[in-house]
Amino acid sequence: MSGTPPPAGGFVRRVGMFQAIAINMSQMCGIGPFVTIPLMVAAFGGPQAVIGFVAGALLALADGLIWAELGAAMPGSGGSYVYLRQAFQYRTGRLMPFLFVWTAMLFIPLIMSTGVVGFVQYLGYLAPDMGKTTGDLVGLGMIAVVVLLLWRGIEHIARITAVMWAVMITSVLLVIVAAATDFSADLAFTYPAHAFELSSGTFWVGFAAGLTIGIYDYLGYNTTAYMGAEIKDPGRTLPRSIIYSILGIMAIYLLLQIGTLGVIDWHRMKNPGDIASTSVASAVMEETWGKGAADTVTVLILITAFASVFTGLLGGSRVPYDAARERVFFRPYAKLHPRHRFPMLGLATMGVITAIGFLIGRHTDLATLIQLLTTVMVIVQALAQVVALSVLRKRQPGLRRPYRMWLYPVPSFLALAGWLTIYGYADRNSPGRHPIEWSLAWLALGLVAFAVWARLEKVWPFGPKEITEEYLTAPVPEAEPAGA
């Protein structure tokens, strides 16, 4: 297989199909489902909470098809940065890619911080006497170890990721198998009165809450798109890594959710004093195979949580690189490590913000942190990217598209409806915290930062627009095999 060599000082394409799927799945199935099953049950008020995981999967798949088309056509480092830069340059210059990087530097580390919160939460099962300060120190130490492991070449990281992916699959499968050995259909499928009363406002409030939690659990299906410049044969690998990882994780989540509900009474998950509300997978193992098995699987879950933070920072740290290299973000972020060729400042910055988010999450609650990160993400990434797909189909019809969205534009409309539901729900369930207001304040601050930056750089609106359609004329990053 031949391909165009990377530009001098650029990334190297070394991540293949299996490794790409492993990176996505490790990021998706980290600590998320193990800590959000009780949150989902609380949102729906019963075992019908499985609806939330199905709804999250459908939104992830609809949005994933957007990522698949854009990523295959424009396989550069930075993911959404590249797509928004190409789509919105005609009217607003560099504003949208700048704002994306601005928000990504916040919401990506916040996602990682939830993983660290979950790590410490499950560690509490093994060390029930662990105090608040000790837990804080453990979480901060975990973040430091992740950054140190990522301070190396991508070829070593790909091997580490494959090992952690195997541990993740093992831990999830053990919980699923254990639940199957002592499964009670009465527990799993006995619903409270009016559980499916669609005319009830309570159902739809629960659905919106479940959709928010569900999409959080699937976040990570786009990790390889951020690493587009490091993916082998991206026209084939990127779409498949996104779609296969979503379908695989959906099957795992449904088995995990139903199995858990068939072992643990859902009322226990709503009781803050019960271990099932904080470490539900450990509770399943203890109920079925005993304390020793529960301890063992808890260790595997901790490794899984570590893997999700690891792969998330791996992909996220690449986001500012292309922007800075092309003078759309602060220039020091364009510098790569002289030997291992990874973005040093991007990794270090996101590590620090992850640590701050972890400490905030420890002193509020996980649901609030999830709502904050989703509202920050929705406007500049999710909604803007739906628009970007249609804009690019109109503005750049000659763009090489190895993959085109199935049933266009239906998935775009579904993604748009899903993201708007999540955004509108946020403030309703967070009295006194106002995630929407915080997200708009961060966006406003980004507009001010852009104005100052644009004035200094003398670009639009203080200079001419610079239209660059490099993907219309760029060489194919990696040749596709005959008959593909």
Side-chain angles (χ1 to χ4, degrees):
M1 186 179 293
S2 63
T4 304
F11 289 121
V12 179
R13 296 188 181 278
R14 290 175 174 167
V15 178
M17 178 70 75
F18 173 77
Q19 293 166 336
I21 295 172
I23 287 172
N24 281 350
M25 291 184 71
S26 296
Q27 170 59 13
M28 294 167 72
C29 189
I31 197 68
F34 296 118
V35 296
T36 58
I37 287 177
L39 296 179
M40 193 76 82
V41 168
F44 279 91
Q48 69 273 25
V50 69
I51 296 172
F53 285 111
V54 175
L58 293 177
L59 176 54
L61 189 57
D63 194 59
L65 295 180
I66 297 173
W67 282 89
E69 177 170 325
L70 295 175
M74 296 170 286
S77 173
S80 289
Y81 160 74
V82 176
Y83 319 146
L84 299 183
R85 182 194 68 202
Q86 288 294 302
F88 293 97
Q89 62 183 328
Y90 303 99
R91 292 188 179 274
T92 57
R94 303 181 186 182
L95 173 62
M96 287 303 294
F98 181 95
L99 288 178
F100 165 72
V101 178
W102 176 265
T103 55
M105 295 294 285
L106 178 63
F107 73 72
I108 291 176
L110 286 181
I111 294 172
M112 299 308 102
S113 68
T114 63
V116 185
V117 170
F119 179 94
V120 175
Q121 191 170 304
Y122 263 81
L123 186 62
Y125 178 81
L126 298 178
D129 297 328
M130 181 178 62
K132 193 80 171 180
T133 301
T134 302
D136 291 346
L137 293 175
V138 168
L140 294 174
M142 172 191 171
I143 296 168
V145 171
V146 168
V147 172
L148 288 175
L149 284 176
L150 288 171
W151 210 266
R152 61 190 66 232
I154 186 67
E155 68 275 11
H156 305 297
I157 291 172
R159 287 194 290 268
I160 293 172
T161 300
V163 172
M164 287 196 266
W165 178 83
V167 174
M168 178 271 292
I169 290 294
T170 301
S171 62
V172 174
L173 290 180
L174 283 173
V175 176
I176 291 172
V177 172
T181 62
D182 193 26
F183 182 79
S184 169
D186 287 340
L187 281 178
F189 302 115
T190 299
Y191 306 106
H194 313 297
F196 300 102
E197 191 173 303
L198 301 185
S199 61
S200 168
T202 302
F203 174 86
W204 292 110
V205 170
F207 178 84
L211 181 62
T212 303
I213 297 167
I215 194 61
Y216 160 76
D217 283 327
Y218 285 95
L219 290 179
Y221 55 85
N222 50 13
T223 300
T224 48
Y226 289 121
M227 304 168 58
E230 299 164 89
I231 303 294
K232 295 178 182 177
D233 191 9
R236 290 169 53 85
T237 301
L238 272 174
R240 287 163 174 76
S241 69
I242 292 170
I243 296 168
Y244 293 166
S245 61
I246 292 172
L247 295 176
I249 291 296
M250 178 177 66
I252 289 172
Y253 280 178
L254 291 177
L255 291 173
L256 184 64
Q257 170 85 356
I258 295 171
T260 298
L261 289 169
V263 174
I264 303 296
D265 189 328
W266 64 270
H267 294 91
R268 290 181 57 190
M269 300 183 201
K270 296 178 65 176
N271 181 6
D274 197 307
I275 193 66
S277 69
T278 56
S279 306
V280 68
S282 302
V284 169
M285 297 304 299
E286 186 174 327
E287 188 79 17
T288 54
W289 291 355
K291 186 67 165 62
D295 290 345
T296 301
V297 169
T298 300
V299 171
L300 295 180
I301 291 173
L302 294 176
I303 297 173
T304 298
F306 183 93
S308 70
V309 177
F310 180 91
T311 53
L313 286 180
L314 165 64
S317 63
R318 270 66 179 166
V319 172
Y321 171 75
D322 260 351
R325 187 182 61 177
E326 298 179 9
R327 296 190 306 112
V328 183
F329 203 60
F330 304 106
R331 297 189 186 189
Y333 284 92
K335 185 177 181 181
L336 294 176
H337 190 280
R339 178 182 175 189
H340 296 304
R341 317 307 301 169
F342 68 89
M344 297 181 293
L345 188 56
L347 176 59
T349 302
M350 289 198 173
V352 170
I353 298 175
T354 299
I356 295 171
F358 161 71
L359 293 176
I360 292 173
R362 288 276 288 170
H363 294 279
T364 56
D365 60 82
L366 188 58
T368 297
L369 200 56
I370 290 173
Q371 288 173 355
L372 178 60
L373 71 89
T374 50
T375 52
V376 170
M377 179 183 70
V378 164
I379 298 178
V380 180
Q381 183 186 55
L383 298 183
Q385 202 158 275
V386 173
V387 176
L389 179 67
S390 297
V391 169
L392 285 169
R393 283 202 173 198
K394 179 180 179 181
R395 289 279 191 172
Q396 298 186 16
L399 180 67
R400 179 181 175 272
R401 293 177 170 86
Y403 169 81
R404 297 178 71 89
M405 175 191 286
W406 302 331
L407 301 176
Y408 175 84
V410 175
S412 291
F413 288 136
L414 291 176
L416 182 66
W419 289 119
L420 288 175
T421 298
I422 288 172
Y423 195 75
Y425 163 78
D427 265 18
R428 177 168 184 166
N429 199 49
S430 302
R433 294 168 185 167
H434 308 297
I436 289 180
E437 284 81 353
W438 282 106
S439 69
L440 292 175
W442 184 256
L443 180 61
L445 189 60
L447 290 170
V448 173
F450 174 79
V452 173
W453 174 86
R455 182 72 176 180
L456 294 174
E457 294 284 344
K458 294 182 175 59
V459 298
W460 183 92
F462 304 103
K465 295 174 186 174
E466 300 174 8
I467 307 300
T468 58
E469 298 176 327
E470 65 265 30
Y471 285 96
L472 286 175
T473 56
V476 178
E478 189 83 23
E480 296 184 12

